[in-house]
Amino acid sequence: MNNSKIWLSSPHMGGNEQKYVQEAFDSNWVAPLGPNVTGMEQDLEMYLANQASVGALSSGTAAIHLGLVLLDVQAGDTVLCQSMTFSASANPILYQGATPVFIDSEWDTWNLCPIALEEAIVSEIAKGTKPKAIIAVHLYGVPYQIEAVRAVADAYEIPILEDSAEALGSSYKGQKCGTFGDIGVLSFNGNKIITTSGGGAIVTPTAALKEKAIFFATQSRDAAPHYQHSEIGYNYRMSNICAGIGRGQMEVLDDHVAQRRLMHDFYASIFEEVPGLTVFTVPNTDYFANYWLSAILVDPEKANGMTRETMRLALETENIESRPLWKPMHLQPIFEKYPYYGSTVAETLFENGLCLPSGSNLTVDDRNRIKTAILNLFA
Ligand SMILES: *Cc1c(COP(=O)(O)O)cnc(C)c1O
């Protein structure tokens, strides 16, 4: 039987990517600007139903960093951040010399808990600093509690930086993720739902704000014949080659979303009958998830002593990749000295959660191997 590696999430080309890259070579637009960059931005704006402007950047991390710059986060400021996330959500807070304050998750969406969020705001204000921004994440493509988080943000007039790196193609009440924040962030890293090999985008409510982001992303060059600079600049623009891959990927984005959702349904049907195992699923029909990664939660007490680690190791022997959920930021050596608000939801998710192979390029054969491996484990 075929025993090649089944990956958690790997790049999946649609076919037209090379055509756009070839065009870049043919026209010698081998630079961090050009028709593919403009085309990719237009494709994304259309995909987001023209609710926002999009600036293509070198990575999602760069987009988060520029988002904080646009929100005027400076040294000494405080930024609230969902703890249950990838470190790229939080690192740019430190790039700015600001202080991260981490917030627990709630059980429905595994994202920012609005109650802990408000508690943190009240407490930080009492300590003398009003937080400058809120970083909210759509974990594994499941939208956070959009209305509850927005209500808290508005009550205290703190802007939201929406980390939608995992949620291109997800939506809430029909509105696309990426367009809910005061600024939004997308990622096209190799493992994401579409890829430019490496890349990202900043999503802004106005074209003027996008222009400002691109100004920062291209070394903050003032209007002058020589190189003149009045503000700190960055080299964060997407290259026209990467954008060529992105334009090809935009043609298959909806197909990727459908395939990832199919993987989620596949796991839901396998685990339906297994006590102590739950597949991470949206709380109700207002939420539409791209299910970038399918994740499960194992309750060892109800699952006959099965743990996520036993499962991970058993899958590994079958050459099937799986991975624990993101380790919360407040438990990371680099971040543990910063304040944290909430209880142990994020920690419990980390201890008992596992991400399973979710790629849009997995075959029927791959699914059969995964299913057999799981059923053998519970036999
Ligand atoms: C991938 C990811 C990022 C970073 O995006 P890059 O393009 O890899 O820099 C940020 N936040 C989250 C939640 C991510 O999953």
Side-chain angles (χ1 to χ4, degrees), residues 57-64 82 84-90 135-140 163-167 185-192 196 198-201 292 326:
L57 301 176
S58 55
S59 71
T61 311
I64 294 171
Q82 181 167 325
M84 189 73 203
T85 186
F86 178 49
S87 64
S89 304
I135 302 178
V137 185
H138 307 295
L139 210 64
Y140 305 125
D163 182 348
S164 193
E166 302 178 359
V185 167
L186 302 171
S187 166
F188 317 116
N189 200 10
N191 57 349
K192 295 287 167 37
T196 57
W292 168 58
W326 299 127

Side-chain angles (χ1 to χ4, degrees), residues 59-123:
S59 71
T61 311
I64 294 171
H65 189 194
L66 284 191
L68 294 178
V69 171
L70 287 173
L71 295 174
D72 193 34
V73 170
Q74 300 180 17
D77 284 337
T78 290
V79 176
L80 305 166
C81 183
Q82 181 167 325
S83 185
M84 189 73 203
T85 186
F86 178 49
S87 64
S89 304
N91 276 326
I93 303 170
L94 299 187
Y95 301 169
Q96 285 305 95
T99 303
V101 171
F102 294 107
I103 315 286
D104 203 1
S105 290
E106 36 77 14
W107 283 111
D108 284 348
T109 75
W110 296 6
N111 292 309
L112 206 55
C113 170
I115 297 164
L117 177 66
E118 181 155 26
E119 196 186 302
I121 295 170
V122 170
S123 164

Side-chain angles (χ1 to χ4, degrees), residues 295-345:
I296 55 167
L297 211 53
V298 186
D299 180 344
E301 277 176 34
K302 292 190 187 136
N304 263 326
M306 178 70 66
T307 67
R308 73 119 153 101
E309 200 51 16
T310 343
M311 285 190 73
R312 192 184 71 78
L313 294 171
L315 291 170
E316 194 170 78
T317 60
E318 301 292 332
N319 215 14
I320 298 169
E321 185 183 29
S322 66
R323 196 181 296 156
L325 304 192
W326 299 127
K327 181 174 180 180
M329 292 305 108
H330 73 282
L331 304 176
Q332 298 282 358
I334 179 76
F335 292 122
E336 65 191 3
K337 64 174 182 257
Y338 298 107
Y340 171 74
Y341 292 87
S343 62
T344 55
V345 178

